Amino acid sequence: MSLLTFKDVSKSYDQKVRVIDQLNFSIDKGEFITLIGPSGCGKTTLLKMINGLIPFNQGEIHVKNHSLADWNLIKLRREIGYVIQQIGLFPHLTIEKNICYVLSLLGRDGEEQKKRATELIQLVGLDPEYLSRYPRELSGGQKQRVGVARALAADPDIILMDEPFGAVDDITRKVLQDEMKALHQKLQKTIVFVTHDIEEAIKLGTRIVLMDQGKIIQAGTKEEMLFNPTTEFTKRFLGTKSFNAYLGQLPIEDVYRPYDAPEKSSKKTSKKTSKKSVPESKTIPLTDTVMEGIRKMIKEDRQSLVVINEENRPLGEFQLQDIQQKIQL
Ligand SMILES: Nc1ncnc2c1ncn2[C@@H]1O[C@H](COP(=O)(O)OP(=O)(O)OP(=O)(O)O)[C@@H](O)[C@H]1O
């Protein structure tokens, strides 16, 4: 079901250059869209048009089957979570009050607000003791977490995020990305996430949208974008870094050949799950990534590895060619 639809949408700030150029696109419920493209291609403009922060000149945007023209914009913004870089928490309000800001506007009572704030702060990985602090008493990464909690407060179906982790250090950014990915899987919200960072786009997006000069150049899954680029621009823009990012987040679990599922592979294997342990140099844990598998193969000079579970039980085999099945388009 489409939650957001753009029909022939154009936007110009100066009535000359179209920064969004006849855009047609739909986003389904539960998707995690990562929006990438060169600086100035229109990503932020597109995002802000969704919650009515930026008006457009032509076309129609539908949110939950209603044209933006029919929405009360204040109501719309309360129904769409919005997270930006340098999150813009209110400095004079406690973290609890910041998180509950929208709830207080919606007239929810104090007890309910407190309960929700406690629930949300834990959801984003912070101790409830932070609720009584002020934003200045938090690190950059912690503030971004509060920003995510605040965006979730009124339980919106849609969350817009504009480079939310752009201003935090690399290590914190990776942690926040992992948390965001887990939150999306848990809550099944529809997320539109603008980023400059291709690795972040590959890691988080269930669909990646590549823009240039106000147009969508290509949109697709990471496999489609990486292994079936429809334009030279896509190929150049994604570059080799994105392959590393892809293999670095692809779990062995998604590609290996289990011993007891020969139909998954072209090569028949009659071996059954065995309890015998295999030397560590020949194995790879199920939860490791394909990139870690490749590293191990190179280090140990092996063509294949035995995939093991937490109890070191062999479950199947991993070879490079197994990735092919995953990327068949
Ligand atoms: N308020 C404004 N008035 C006039 N022009 C604007 C305004 N905001 C953005 N622009 C122009 O519109 C174009 C698209 O800007 P936008 O911020 O949407 O791009 P972006 O892809 O998000 O860029 P970046 O990745 O650098 O943040 C740019 O050329 C920008 O200069």
Side-chain angles (χ1 to χ4, degrees), residues 13-14 17 19-20 37-47 54 162-163 194-196 211:
Y13 288 100
D14 59 6
V17 183
V19 297
I20 297 295
S39 183
C41 72
K43 303 181 291 296
T44 295
T45 302
L46 182 65
L47 199 75
I54 291 183
D162 197 349
E163 301 220 36
V194 168
T195 178
H196 264 108
M211 289 180 68

Side-chain angles (χ1 to χ4, degrees), residues 124-137:
V124 297
L126 290 177
D127 193 292
E129 95 157 61
Y130 284 93
L131 288 174
S132 56
R133 294 203 194 179
Y134 286 86
R136 64 173 181 278
E137 298 170 316

Side-chain angles (χ1 to χ4, degrees), residues 70-122:
D70 299 333
W71 272 95
N72 170 326
L73 285 186
I74 292 172
K75 186 167 184 293
L76 177 80
R77 282 178 208 144
R78 285 179 194 164
E79 292 203 13
I80 299 180
Y82 186 43
V83 187
I84 52 172
Q85 204 185 103
Q86 310 292 9
I87 191 63
L89 297 176
F90 301 113
H92 57 289
L93 296 182
T94 61
I95 298 305
E96 180 180 327
K97 291 261 175 339
N98 265 286
I99 292 177
C100 295
Y101 188 70
V102 173
L103 297 182
S104 63
L105 292 178
L106 292 171
R108 305 283 170 80
D109 72 51
E111 261 322 292
E112 187 187 339
Q113 288 186 36
K114 195 170 182 65
K115 192 165 161 259
R116 184 81 178 129
T118 308
E119 196 177 289
L120 285 167
I121 199 140
Q122 287 171 312

Side-chain angles (χ1 to χ4, degrees), residues 272-289:
K272 289 276 170 230
T273 306
S274 144
K275 283 189 176 156
K276 260 207 295 198
S277 73
V278 183
E280 196 274 334
S281 63
K282 295 182 183 173
T283 64
I284 185 88
L286 186 68
T287 49
D288 271 14
T289 66

